[in-house]
Amino acid sequence: MGTPSDRAPLAERVEELLADGVPLTIVAAGDPVLRRGTEPYDGQLEPALLARFVEALRVTMRAAPGVGLAAPQVGVPLRIAVFEDPAPVPEEVRLARGRVPQPFRVLVNPAYEPVGGTRAAFFEGCLSVPGWQAVVARHAQVRLTGQDEHGRALDEVFSGWPARIVQHETDHLDGVLYLDRAEPRSLSSNLAMAERWAQPTPEEAARALGFELP
């Protein structure tokens, strides 16, 4: 797939990406687009193109598969992200992580702030950092503000795993990867995760790998 020129207007860049079909190529860590931050969305894409781009993000996220995807992850520096989590996990995981199903959502110009001081630490991964996971301590509850793809205001409090997804995807829009917030000693390959750290919580990993949990 051709790489859109950094000098091209955003609408042209999105059209070029979509012309190559979906799913879109997910940008890997090391690409500057993941570190530059994003432009607030202010009508750079006309409604029909925005709808096509959102649908491409949804298809790409599901194909990966993942539970969230931000525009910079496909090379577009706009403050737009999507998430969706069917949460197909065992009951013990659901209870430990607060992971409950989330419908498909579009976040436009999102921002979050913590609600209370509680933090929760769990292994986390990223489609732009394939093959690896690490423990990240995040706010257990956040207030999300912004708009949806139709310009309607969003103002909602998320808890548990949905709060983690909101923080992860919004961080992408600020040029922040989960590794920036992770406990370095927890970094584990997907193989190590499957063989050693599949427990609902990271307590065993913390003891064995030598890091602290909040």
Side-chain angles (χ1 to χ4, degrees), residues 67-137:
V67 296
L69 190 67
Q73 292 182 273
V74 296
V76 178
L78 271 178
R79 200 167 183 82
I80 297 173
V82 299
F83 77 93
E84 178 184 49
D85 186 10
V89 296
E91 181 71 3
E92 63 174 343
V93 172
R94 184 187 70 79
L95 292 173
R97 302 180 186 175
R99 188 171 176 183
V100 293
Q102 294 295 302
F104 178 74
R105 297 172 183 262
V106 181
L107 309 181
V108 176
N109 299 330
Y112 68 82
E113 59 184 29
V115 176
T118 304
R119 295 173 69 81
F122 292 100
F123 275 101
E124 190 172 315
C126 179
L127 297 177
S128 291
V129 190
W132 298 91
Q133 298 183 47
V135 172
V136 184

Side-chain angles (χ1 to χ4, degrees), residues 1 5 52 71 107 118 124 179 209-210:
M1 183 181 78
S5 167
R52 289 169 56 208
L107 309 181
T118 304
E124 190 172 315
L179 292 173
L209 299 178

